[in-house]
Amino acid sequence: MRLLVTGGAGFIGANFVQQTVRERPDVTVTVLDALTYAGDRASLAPCAQDVDLVVGDVADVDLVDSLVAGCDAVVHLAAESHNDNSLADPRPFLRTNVEGTFTLLEAVRRHGRRFHHVSTDEVYGDLPLEGSTRFTESTPYNPSSPYSSTKAASDMLVRAWCRSYGVEATLSNCSNNYGPYQHVEKFIPRQISNLIDGVRPKLYGTGANVRDWIHVEDHNRAVWAILERGRAGRTYLIGADGEHTNREVVEALLEIFGHPRDAYDLVPDRPGHDLRYAIDSSLLREELGWEPTYRDFAAGLEATVRWYQDNERWWRPHKDRTEQRYRALGR
Ligand code: NAD
Ligand code: TDX
């Protein structure tokens, strides 16, 4: 199989490509990535010999057409992915997430290729902090931020291209990922790199918001299960029952570093901050037999801390600029 992976130099994409090269020698991988501030060639270093990296934009019609023509299937991960950035400047989110997905859909329609669209649980909005309701495939869309609204728009395009043009596409909406190669702007790597630098972790608001954490390798195994065995036109929710308040995550990190559990700072909240996400992944488990392998969040977190300690050369070049941006936001 000749696979085109968009966004393959980002966090989830680089893990997906590395895993694919390791576990599936029959698959040839081409990556299309614009290498924005979030993409890093170094994330593909362990498999650089086996992967063709094309530096370019998913909204570039001619480039996308020629790459799609030369592949059997596309896994689409390229996106502007950070909520805080989307609040500061939404424009790139429209271009990459909406126009980029449209450009890919038109190309797979022309060439009759299989398409998998990687999306987020944030398209469903948020859930109350109290209670045990969870998102399912039939929860109505209700996005809150510029980021999640552009992801919701891209999901709608995929659904419409399936129904109206018969494009053979699947969608997945996953909860918060953690693991190696995640940009230091995101919650867990920001706090780990702060702790390595002797800086106290920063919690938005009161730290009571809940996220449903899944290890990036479990997400990527689910994407492969859907690519191989998922039904065209279907949406699958991906989640590993990993709900924790942000405060609990920071306390666990402080414990790993041997600091008092309350050695964090509360900083001004994110505008429109979604309260709680939680995924019901029964469909994926029952229909495709997927199960997470990282069941112990504390152990997964500790392994992630070790990775950041051992790979400072990978994240250090991004740290100062990221913290400058947060300082400007007062966070
Ligand atoms: P990321 O920001 O780490 O990586 C995004 C990649 O896309 C980068 O390599 C970047 O260079 C590339 N890119 C951006 N704009 C591009 C463009 N116009 N053309 C080509 N490449 C471009 O993001 P991530 O966390 O790896 O997320 C990957 C996908 O998974 C996104 O679609 C995101 O919405 C989705 N997702 C992420 C999470 C999460 O917790 N991180 C959870 C669910 C879904
Ligand atoms: O310094 C921080 N302190 C803090 O309390 C940062 C950066 C974040 N937070 C909070 C905000 C969220 O409640 O931590 C939680 C996680 O924040 P992010 O890492 O920014 O993730 P989130 O906004 O939940 O979105 C993530 O999950 C869904 C990804 O960035 C998206 O791409 C994905 O779609």
Side-chain angles (χ1 to χ4, degrees):
M1 180 198 265
R2 296 165 305 168
L3 194 64
L4 177 65
V5 181
T6 72
F11 162 47
I12 300 174
N15 279 283
F16 181 84
V17 170
Q18 286 194 32
Q19 239 171 296
T20 300
V21 167
R22 257 193 332 263
E23 294 171 8
R24 295 170 186 267
D26 52 323
V27 177
T28 310
V29 180
T30 300
V31 167
L32 171 60
D33 197 296
L35 298 183
T36 67
Y37 81 95
D40 193 339
R41 203 182 276 278
S43 304
L44 291 171
C47 57
Q49 308 293 343
D50 302 300
V51 172
D52 185 14
L53 170 62
V54 178
V55 179
D57 186 346
V58 282
D60 178 335
V61 176
D62 294 337
L63 176 62
V64 164
D65 188 77
S66 71
L67 291 172
V68 168
C71 76
D72 301 305
V74 180
V75 174
H76 176 35
L77 294 125
E80 285 292 337
S81 70
H82 192 37
N83 277 300
D84 290 323
N85 295 343
S86 82
L87 291 159
D89 180 14
R91 187 171 293 280
F93 291 72
L94 272 293
R95 159 91 180 168
T96 294
N97 301 0
V98 183
E99 201 179 327
T101 303
F102 163 69
T103 305
L104 281 156
L105 283 168
E106 284 291 84
V108 293
R109 173 160 86 97
R110 272 193 298 276
H111 297 288
R113 299 297 188 256
R114 173 84 171 82
F115 187 72
H116 181 72
H117 180 63
V118 175
S119 192
T120 169
D121 58 358
E122 297 191 18
V123 298
Y124 300 114
D126 61 358
L127 298 162
L129 279 182
E130 306 304 331
S132 55
T133 47
R134 299 193 290 175
F135 298 134
T136 70
E137 284 77 6
S138 53
T139 303
Y141 274 43
N142 187 27
S144 315
S145 73
Y147 163 68
S148 53
S149 61
T150 57
K151 290 298 292 188
S154 68
D155 290 11
M156 293 302 171
L157 294 177
V158 179
R159 289 176 179 205
W161 262 242
C162 286
R163 174 154 172 170
S164 300
Y165 300 119
V167 163
E168 200 193 330
T170 41
L171 295 92
S172 55
N173 297 81
C174 187
S175 61
N176 286 61
N177 284 221
Y178 74 97
Y181 298 102
Q182 188 168 27
H183 196 282
V184 288
E185 70 187 353
K186 300 294 184 348
F187 178 52
I188 289 180
R190 183 183 185 206
Q191 314 314 332
I192 294 174
S193 52
N194 276 352
L195 284 162
I196 291 172
D197 282 348
V199 173
R200 287 159 69 96
K202 313 284 177 212
L203 275 173
Y204 292 177
T206 62
N209 300 54
V210 173
R211 295 295 181 265
D212 188 353
W213 293 99
I214 181 172
H215 195 277
V216 63
E217 284 183 18
D218 282 332
H219 178 182
N220 287 332
R221 284 205 184 86
V223 169
W224 262 109
I226 298 165
L227 192 61
E228 291 185 312
R229 305 192 297 283
R231 279 197 260 161
R234 259 210 131 131
T235 291
Y236 296 86
L237 259 54
I238 307 174
D241 301 328
E243 277 187 72
H244 295 279
T245 66
N246 294 336
R247 196 181 322 112
E248 285 166 354
V249 174
V250 159
E251 285 169 353
L253 289 173
L254 285 162
E255 203 167 300
I256 293 169
F257 279 85
H259 297 321
R261 285 166 69 86
D262 61 354
Y264 54 77
D265 292 332
L266 297 179
V267 298
D269 210 352
R270 171 186 285 169
H273 194 178
D274 279 342
L275 293 174
R276 173 172 161 259
Y277 306 138
I279 290 270
D280 177 349
S281 58
S282 310
L283 178 70
L284 177 69
R285 293 171 194 240
E286 284 159 21
E287 192 179 298
L288 302 184
W290 172 89
E291 288 291 336
T293 56
Y294 286 80
R295 290 163 188 282
D296 180 348
F297 181 62
L301 207 53
E302 190 152 352
T304 304
V305 168
R306 301 288 164 246
W307 190 88
Y308 280 86
Q309 286 172 326
D310 294 343
N311 291 276
E312 187 168 335
R313 278 181 54 189
W314 178 84
W315 58 264
R316 179 59 69 192
H318 304 284
K319 183 67 179 166
D320 280 353
R321 203 170 71 114
T322 301
E323 290 306 319
Q324 263 169 30
R325 279 190 186 169
Y326 279 123
R327 265 195 299 280
L329 296 169
R331 291 191 219 126

